[in-house]
Amino acid sequence: MISRLPNWVETGAFVLALIAGYVNAIGFLSFEHQSVSHVSGTATLIGVGLLSSSMAQLLHLVGVLVAFFFGAAIAGVLVHGATLKLGRHYDTALIIEALLLLGAMVLLSEGSSYGHFLASAACGLQNALATTYSGAIVRTTHVTGIFTDLGLMLGAALRKQPFDRRKAKLFLIIVCGFIFGGTAGTYAYTQWLYTALVLPSGACLLLAALYHGYRRRRREDLHVE
């Protein structure tokens, strides 16, 4: 149950959502209001583009979508499941995400739109790190599903069913993280353009280091016991 999860879950979810909102804001500002942290809007733009966009624009949108897909595939290779479980290679996945964001920064700074593909792949990878909390799927790169779950929880509470306060707290933390990330990403982009991507990359590396250290300490504690 979600009540048994360690307290660091909320902190990690907030930081991941902050990263996603930050990266998405930069993608939104830099390429025709195109999101890179989720693909619903991209799929819609592809549908619209079949009638109104140039072939180059259309292929770029398809590339963003495919890159997201392959980013998720990388996570599938590394993580082996959707349920939060200590010992899985979350640290490796976060390091790869950091490298993808750094690559996106370099390419976009040089004027190459291929950087959008790397940024989208980074978000696809992070989104596939989704974990199952007490029957709810939590994604940190978009908030559509979270608002859906919150609505379902409220409806159930109105029918006098138990309301899981910690799950609601976790969802609200993710929403706030995504929004604040968007604000931070917008400000950083206006100041430093694509160089701003070094910040979420560094945050991914920090999370990877913290997780690796936590996992090692837990293994040592188990051996002592």
Side-chain angles (χ1 to χ4, degrees), residues 56-102:
Q57 290 174 317
L58 189 60
L59 289 175
H60 188 89
L61 290 170
V62 172
V64 170
L65 192 150
V66 171
F68 190 96
F69 171 81
F70 279 109
I74 293 171
V77 171
L78 293 172
V79 177
H80 308 295
T83 303
L84 179 65
K85 186 175 181 180
L86 190 67
R88 288 178 172 161
H89 295 289
Y90 300 117
D91 48 354
T92 305
L94 287 165
I95 290 170
I96 294 174
E97 180 180 352
L99 294 175
L100 288 169
L101 290 173
L102 286 175

Side-chain angles (χ1 to χ4, degrees), residues 25-220:
I26 292 176
F28 188 83
L29 293 169
S30 65
F31 177 66
E32 296 185 3
H33 302 298
Q34 169 59 44
S35 296
V36 294
S37 70
H38 53 87
V39 295
S40 299
T42 304
T44 299
L45 288 174
I46 290 172
V48 173
L50 289 172
L51 296 178
S52 61
S53 296
S54 68
M55 182 58 67
Q57 290 174 317
L58 189 60
L59 289 175
H60 188 89
L61 290 170
V62 172
V64 170
L65 192 150
V66 171
F68 190 96
F69 171 81
F70 279 109
I74 293 171
V77 171
L78 293 172
V79 177
H80 308 295
T83 303
L84 179 65
K85 186 175 181 180
L86 190 67
R88 288 178 172 161
H89 295 289
Y90 300 117
D91 48 354
T92 305
L94 287 165
I95 290 170
I96 294 174
E97 180 180 352
L99 294 175
L100 288 169
L101 290 173
L102 286 175
M105 179 188 71
V106 172
L107 289 175
L108 291 169
S109 297
E110 293 177 350
S112 173
S113 61
Y114 290 120
H116 292 111
F117 302 156
L118 295 186
S120 183
C123 289
L125 190 158
Q126 180 179 312
N127 198 45
L129 296 179
T131 48
T132 302
Y133 299 139
S134 189
I137 300 297
V138 176
R139 309 287 187 184
T140 57
T141 64
H142 60 89
V143 295
T144 304
I146 290 175
F147 273 105
T148 300
D149 280 352
L150 282 171
L152 289 171
M153 291 170 63
L154 176 60
L158 292 175
R159 296 200 312 272
K160 307 300 182 183
Q161 293 186 4
F163 186 80
D164 192 332
R165 292 181 179 273
R166 187 168 183 199
K167 185 189 292 186
K169 175 185 174 183
L170 176 63
F171 288 164
L172 291 173
I173 285 172
I174 291 172
V175 171
C176 290
F178 194 85
I179 292 172
F180 292 149
T183 302
T186 300
Y187 176 79
Y189 181 76
T190 61
Q191 299 297 311
W192 307 301
L193 295 178
Y194 300 113
T195 306
L197 286 172
V198 74
L199 295 179
S201 178
C204 287
L205 292 175
L206 177 60
L207 281 179
L210 291 173
Y211 171 75
H212 182 77
Y214 177 81
R215 184 177 63 174
R216 184 173 61 184
R217 287 194 300 273
R218 285 294 302 272
R219 282 202 303 261
E220 290 173 351

